Each structure stands twice: as C-alpha cells, then as structure tokens.
Amino acid sequence: MVCTQRYDNALYALNMTAIPAFDEKNYYEAYHAVSIAGHCATTCNDVCNEGGLTMFQQHNNEIYAFTSVVQSLLIKLVPADQL
C-alpha cells in the first residue's frame, strides 16, 4: 500500500541518510534527506485522506512537523552554499 511504503521511506530517509549525514557534517545530504522524509509523510497523509490507512496520520503529522523544523533550522544555521 502506498501509505505504508511512504511511511517506511520517511523513516528510512531520516534514520539511514539524514542522521549519518548530520554526523558527518554533510548538511547538503542531510537537508535533502529530511526534505524527502517530509515529502513521504505528506504523500502518505494524502493517501490516508483518500480513504487509506488513517492509523499513520498522526505519526506522519509528527514526521512532517519535525522535518519542517529541521529544514528551517538548517536554512538559518548553515551557509546557503552547503545546502
């Protein structure tokens, strides 16, 4: 199902790409992985709102809120040429 696949993709992007990239100070990769996670969470919620699995909506809302804050912080704290 699309929703569960996107939810898994969001978690994978955060855990397997964004966090290691932050550890390596690779803010470009971290920023884009966080962006992908937010997009996946939004896509999952879009599917849920069309009659899909509503049990993921709250988790996706949390993932989206988290990714929005992280992206905003990166934009403010990291020079633009590193994003």
Side-chain angles (χ1 to χ4, degrees):
M1 184 168 244
V2 172
C3 184
T4 56
Q5 198 172 35
R6 294 294 183 246
Y7 180 75
D8 286 342
N9 291 345
L11 293 179
Y12 184 88
L14 290 174
N15 292 325
M16 302 306 289
T17 306
I19 292 172
F22 275 111
D23 288 344
E24 297 168 2
K25 296 182 180 13
N26 182 346
Y27 301 117
Y28 176 84
E29 187 172 346
Y31 180 85
H32 289 282
V34 168
S35 176
I36 288 167
H39 175 74
C40 288
T42 300
T43 302
C44 182
N45 270 359
D46 290 346
V47 172
C48 289
N49 289 333
E50 293 172 5
L53 299 173
T54 57
M55 67 182 177
F56 288 100
Q57 285 180 318
Q58 182 59 39
H59 295 299
N60 282 316
N61 290 341
E62 293 166 0
I63 290 171
Y64 182 75
F66 173 76
T67 59
S68 295
V69 168
V70 171
Q71 283 184 293
S72 294
L73 287 171
L74 283 168
I75 289 168
K76 290 178 184 189
L77 298 174
V78 176
D81 65 337
Q82 293 182 24
L83 296 177

